[in-house]
Amino acid sequence: MDGAWYTGWRHVFKLDPDREITDEALEAVCMSGTDAIMVGGSSGITYDNTVDLMSRIRRYAVDCVLEVTSLDAAVPGFDNYLVPLVLNAERAEWLIGRQTAALQEFGHLIPWDITAGEGYLIMNGDATAAVVSGANANLNQDEAIAYVQAADRLLRLPIIYIEYSGAFGDMSLVRRASKIVSQAHVIYGGGIDGPDKAEEAARAAHTVVVGNIVYDNLDAALATVQAVKAVQIGVS
Ligand SMILES: CC(C)=CCC/C(C)=C/CC/C(C)=C/CC/C(C)=C/CC/C(C)=C/CC/C(C)=C/CC/C(C)=C/COP(=O)(O)OP(=O)(O)O
Ligand SMILES: O=P(O)(O)OC[C@@H](O)CO
Ligand SMILES: [Mg+2]
């Protein structure tokens, strides 16, 4: 693993431009000590709601990263950009088709030095991202690990995102993934509802992403920051 901009992240909050957040809640999230705010969502993302959320986060010093899921919402001005590729999508459209279509239109504008691809392995079939991309989440652990190895060793993607959005995942899979990668950075997200699950995930993944609980229970969300920072990943 090199010293790329994401390698120091242990804890990240993901905020959805399509959901409401008060100024007070946003301030608490941005001042929480998290390593970065990732802006992204699977549906309802527009240029206007993305610009609006970015400019509100920009009042704070925290790094602000856009996960680009729609060309319409490719907003300039973020610190970094992440482009998802769904590894276990049923159709190539979600693995590489939409991305190459975007490059034909936008390729000359992309700030490559602050942009990285992320190989999404979507393991919760009920997650919006799984439904949108038709991901085959019905994988056993060995099959899932084969995707991780393909992304790391064959495609040499810099980031592998094990996504259980809405449900807490199999930490033994995440641990195995973090242990087996040769160069990729493993991000885990899904179902973290407070410090206990955050700590468990932090022992298994390089980076832990906390999303929906920000909107459902802010205090529990804020408590995940210290929980993650207090432990080290338990793989080597
Ligand atoms: C200067 C300038 C204009 C900068 C922009 C530069 C830039 C980097 C442009 C990118 C160009 C490019 C190649 C874009 C590709 C865009 C694209 C259409 C990609 C496809 C994305 C994709 C595979 C989407 C599928 C769904 C998915 C994996 C989403 C990931 C995010 C996610 C899971 C969010 C969580 O969603 P949420 O709504 O919270 O879900 P729940 O309901 O489960 O909570
Ligand atoms: O919303 P939750 O379930 O915390 O998941 C976080 C993130 O992985 C979503 O893309
Ligand atoms: Mg969400």
Side-chain angles (χ1 to χ4, degrees):
M1 209 180 293
D2 61 18
W5 41 269
Y6 47 81
T7 52
W9 292 350
R10 284 291 281 148
H11 182 283
V12 170
F13 279 123
K14 187 180 284 194
L15 297 183
D16 189 336
D18 194 33
R19 297 185 76 169
E20 302 265 322
I21 185 164
T22 64
D23 286 342
E24 293 71 26
L26 188 65
E27 174 163 348
V29 165
C30 292
M31 300 293 284
S32 64
T34 188
D35 296 307
I37 309 290
M38 198 182 283
V39 171
S42 300
S43 58
I45 310 299
T46 66
Y47 196 89
D48 287 350
N49 62 23
T50 304
V51 169
D52 181 61
L53 184 57
M54 180 188 75
S55 49
R56 291 176 67 205
I57 296 167
R58 276 273 174 253
R59 293 179 199 151
Y60 306 95
V62 66
D63 280 354
C64 186
V65 183
L66 178 64
E67 196 169 52
V68 193
T69 52
S70 152
L71 199 48
D72 296 339
V75 170
F78 282 84
D79 293 305
N80 296 100
Y81 295 89
L82 290 165
V83 178
L85 301 87
V86 181
L87 300 168
N88 54 335
E90 290 284 7
R91 292 197 312 276
E93 174 191 354
W94 296 100
L95 172 65
I96 202 68
R98 290 195 171 230
Q99 296 80 354
T100 48
L103 290 181
Q104 288 180 58
E105 206 171 318
F106 250 103
H108 58 295
L109 287 177
I110 294 178
W112 289 112
D113 53 328
I114 55 166
T115 298
E118 32 173 23
Y120 258 79
L121 185 59
I122 306 179
M123 295 300 293
N124 172 11
D126 295 328
T128 312
V131 175
V132 167
S133 67
N136 171 21
N138 193 17
L139 302 173
N140 66 34
Q141 200 177 97
D142 287 343
E143 289 167 335
I145 288 294
Y147 276 97
V148 170
Q149 285 192 293
D152 173 55
R153 298 274 186 177
L154 301 179
L155 301 174
R156 298 200 74 77
L157 286 171
I159 296 173
I160 297 171
Y161 193 132
I162 302 181
E163 173 69 292
Y164 279 88
S165 184
F168 193 61
D170 174 1
M171 289 304 117
S172 71
L173 166 64
V174 180
R175 208 172 300 113
R176 248 180 102 184
S178 300
K179 196 166 186 165
I180 208 167
V181 287
S182 66
Q183 56 79 38
H185 185 84
V186 174
I187 296 182
Y188 170 78
I192 293 176
D193 58 7
D196 294 347
K197 290 198 179 91
E199 181 182 327
E200 230 188 295
R203 291 192 196 283
H206 298 128
T207 298
V208 173
V209 176
V210 175
N212 290 333
I213 195 70
V214 169
Y215 301 93
D216 301 336
N217 183 343
L218 181 62
D219 288 342
L222 296 172
T224 63
V225 178
Q226 286 318 312
V228 167
K229 302 265 178 165
V231 297
Q232 293 194 323
I233 186 168
V235 300
S236 52

